Amino acid sequence: MKVFWIRRSGHLVKTRVMLFALLFGIWMPLGVIGVPKNITTSSNPKVLNVGVLFTFDSVIGRSAQPAILAAVDDVNADNHILPGTKLNLILHDTNCSGFFGTMEALQLMEDEVVAAIGPQSSGIAHVISHVINELHIPLLSFGATDPALSAQQYQYFVRTTQSDYFQMNAIADMVDKFGWKEVVAIFVDDDNGRSGISALSDALAKKRAKISYKAAFPSGSSISTISDLLVSVNMMESRVYVVHVNPDTGLSVFSIAKKLQMMGSGYVWIATDWLPSFLDSFETNSPDVMNQLQGVVAFRHHTPDGNLKKNFISKWRNLKYKKSPNFNSYALHAYDSVWLVARALDTFLKEGGNISFSNDPKLRENNGSMFQLKSFKVFNGGEQLLQTIKRTNFTGVSGQIQFGDDGKHLIHPAYDILNIGGTGIRRIGYWSNYSGLSTIAPENLYAKPLNASPNNHLYSVIWPGETSTTPRGWVFPHSGKPLQIVVPNRVSYKAFVSKDKNPPGVKGYCIDVFEAAINLLPYPVPHTYILYGDGKDTPEYSNLVYEVSQNKYDAAVGDITIVTNRTKIVDFTQPFMESGLVVVTVVKEEKSSPWAFLRPFTIQMWAVTAIFFIFVGAVVWILEHRTNEEFRGPPRQQLITIFWFSFSTMFFSHKENTVSTLGRLVLIIWLFVVLIINSSYTASLTSILTVQQLTSNIKGIDSLISSTDAIGVQEGSFALKYLIDDLGIAASRIIKLKDQEEYADALRHGAEDGGVAAIVDELPYVELFLAGTNCMYRIVGEEFTKSGWGFAFQRDSPLAVDLSTAILQLSENGDLQKIHDKWLSRTECSTNLNQVDVNQLSLSSFWGLFLICGIACFVALSVFFFRLLSQYRRFSPETQSEVEEMEPVRTRRLSRTTSFMNFVDKKEAEVKPKLKRSSDNKQVSQSSGSLPASPP
């Protein structure tokens, strides 16, 4: 087997290369490289030229070069792939230069190659992709990971490794797992670096995180440049660093960080695949290198441990082209790239494809031009070969080689997550776009349902500083500038926050709560207070919050209400004070009424009670009428008895005795109901007559909305906007008030005399106002909003989360209440009016008693009438039969009704003997009817 290897440098011209090739006896078939003609073809080529473009003397190049040469040897030795045809590699060195790399790529296109492998540089790939699009030559890159190369405009670019798009999503998942919200991106400012960090920014945004600072430096920067960059990075609040550089110079970032003491506890360093590529290129790494990387987490392309990979590793040490003691993941992808080209060409030729080139009619020679444009040939079968490459499917040393539906990415992108500690590297898990973070290898999860995989789980990590405790990811730097905290310069309610002549320049309840929460944090937070407002008028709090959102201030501390519009632009801490809008107005004492005795019960309660008195009296009369002499007599007397008995039970003074069992049952239950009603009435009436009754024309926010009176609000409060926008109150009705004195004056004058009918303000202000006026005014109605006060920070500020935890701790240990008692008066005023309807007893409180009494009456009546009907049927049946036979039907029905009513009205003592005789006569008739007839 003979492999042709032509190495070109940027300073060689085409004629020198051809002379060099002729001197060494290298001859290429004219069907492939022959003399330029309009069209050159070969239906059965013996040699196929494949270009290779990368930097030989680089971390990736030193591993990829022997892998590529080994792959060509294996392909040419395999009789099943391209039988009778040999692959010929034409290698070009890009020399780590964008300019020389581009020139080498252009020279490579002159050699009529059917495909090209490389480059490892994304920048060169961007340039050369425009050339291969024109010449229809597939370009298979094992090292260009720039996500932008997946765009549709790069039609002939085929990526045989994974795009950084997936790697950045893996990093975002890890950032989200540990709860970090901000990262600092350190990257080389080239196409690959910028595109990768852009993909990281998009991935973090999906997790509600962000890149707080992009620290970019040009390729080949000096140590001093990188050092200055890291010094500025160390001034940032975020302590999570994502390092996305190239493997040849990236190690200097960590060596400088080590000197700047940025590799200690509290820091998080995440490196992309460049770092494992560097470390894997050496069988053993020096202790000095490993000492610089303690606690670093890195991502590496995942390659399954298959038999092909094991065989490749075993043969690696014996490769005659070997130049490095070990290989990295890029070497595996480079090896598979050669096999992918070989398999695609084999299929291409078997399907009848021809290797032919033609001149591009768009390229014309310009007079005096140094470029040999005619030497560029279009590969006529390039489109067919490209489609063949995209549908090729085989298992290589790096895993399954198969493209997705878009033809731009290999399927099953996955990464190993590594943790560097001691003198080695430990794998703490995997990431794949199928299962996310996992401790199980991705290839073992593809066949399982997605919900059955152990998602979002990793083994323990040893972070910088040799700690297993997850860093917070955000620490206020000692060398950073103090937090600029804006405080409203109030002219009223200064107990909450106000200006102070002594340091720190402000004081009040809100300031003490903030300082107490800051002191609970495990790290120092230098801060300065800046007053907002001129001190003559209370500032607009919405404007204050807006300026925090625009990064003019770092935070806002004070009596700031958490409302929906503000939460959209800033982050609030946990509320440290409950709040809500209430209505306060003037009230007057209500005069006593001569009809006050009717107030304990509602109208419905009075009506139902009266109905039940009459109903129960009637029921007892019915049950006692046939057995009790006291419930008999003339109709007028019986009617008086019913009413007298009913209402006398209210005072338990009824003189009529009940003798029937059913009557006594009903009376006992009714007396229990009367006892409860009397007790409740007495208690309610006592409360109404003894407690001071206050009244107001304003009953709450609803009556205030329906009126046309003026309404007062505090200057600078969100209540003004809420009343106008949400409740639809006319702006002309609203009057702004500055302080407590204006509150009292406006309420005292009233709406008729230039004041206000009521004031709408938050409950903490109103409680302080009422305490200062000896409770001359009152809150009417209920709170009609629920909110709280919190400290405002810029969006996604980690300090907001830490302070929320501190505020909860203050609440739990009682310190928050102590601060409240220190600043705010404990004088309490009644929060609501003692209105009459509050003390009235309604039917809903007693319907259960009435239901029980009604059921008892119904059951008693049912039993009574059942017994009555039974007696009536046995009463004088012979007489009734004779009468019925003699009378007509209509008269018979009237007679039955009259007879039944007369029976009911009879005393039970008079009826019983007749019932007994009737029963005896019936038995005699039945006995005589059963005797046998006498003989004639």
Side-chain angles (χ1 to χ4, degrees), residues 814-833:
D815 289 344
L816 194 61
Q817 185 61 44
K818 293 178 182 178
I819 298 174
H820 181 278
D821 296 341
K822 171 186 174 182
W823 286 98
L824 305 179
S825 173
R826 296 186 60 85
T827 303
E828 296 182 358
C829 297
S830 177
T831 57
N832 285 294
L833 297 182

Side-chain angles (χ1 to χ4, degrees), residues 755-777:
V756 296
I759 292 175
V760 175
D761 206 349
E762 296 181 67
L763 184 59
Y765 301 122
V766 171
E767 289 178 342
L768 200 59
F769 167 68
L770 294 179
T773 58
N774 296 322
C775 302
M776 293 175 58
Y777 309 99

Side-chain angles (χ1 to χ4, degrees), residues 140 144 165 209 234 293 296 325 387 502 526 575 638 818 841 855:
L140 287 73
Y165 168 83
N234 200 31
L293 302 174
V296 174
Q387 299 305 321
N502 300 319
Q638 295 183 46
K818 293 178 182 178
L841 299 174
I855 292 174

Side-chain angles (χ1 to χ4, degrees), residues 258-330:
K258 182 72 174 178
K259 295 177 182 178
L260 295 176
Q261 298 182 351
M262 296 175 63
M263 299 297 295
S265 178
Y267 289 86
V268 177
W269 290 89
I270 302 175
T272 53
D273 62 292
W274 68 268
L275 182 57
S277 298
F278 174 84
L279 298 177
D280 291 343
S281 297
F282 303 95
E283 191 151 356
T284 57
N285 289 278
S286 68
D288 292 338
V289 171
M290 300 304 293
N291 187 45
Q292 298 172 3
L293 302 174
Q294 295 299 300
V296 174
V297 175
F299 287 76
R300 177 177 63 193
H301 295 116
H302 175 69
T303 54
D305 295 329
N307 292 329
L308 290 176
K309 181 179 177 180
K310 294 178 181 178
N311 294 334
F312 177 80
I313 295 174
S314 64
K315 293 178 0 181
W316 179 264
R317 298 183 180 276
N318 299 322
L319 294 178
K320 62 180 180 180
Y321 302 105
K322 177 180 173 185
K323 291 188 177 181
S324 62
N326 214 342
F327 67 94
N328 52 39
S329 61
Y330 287 100

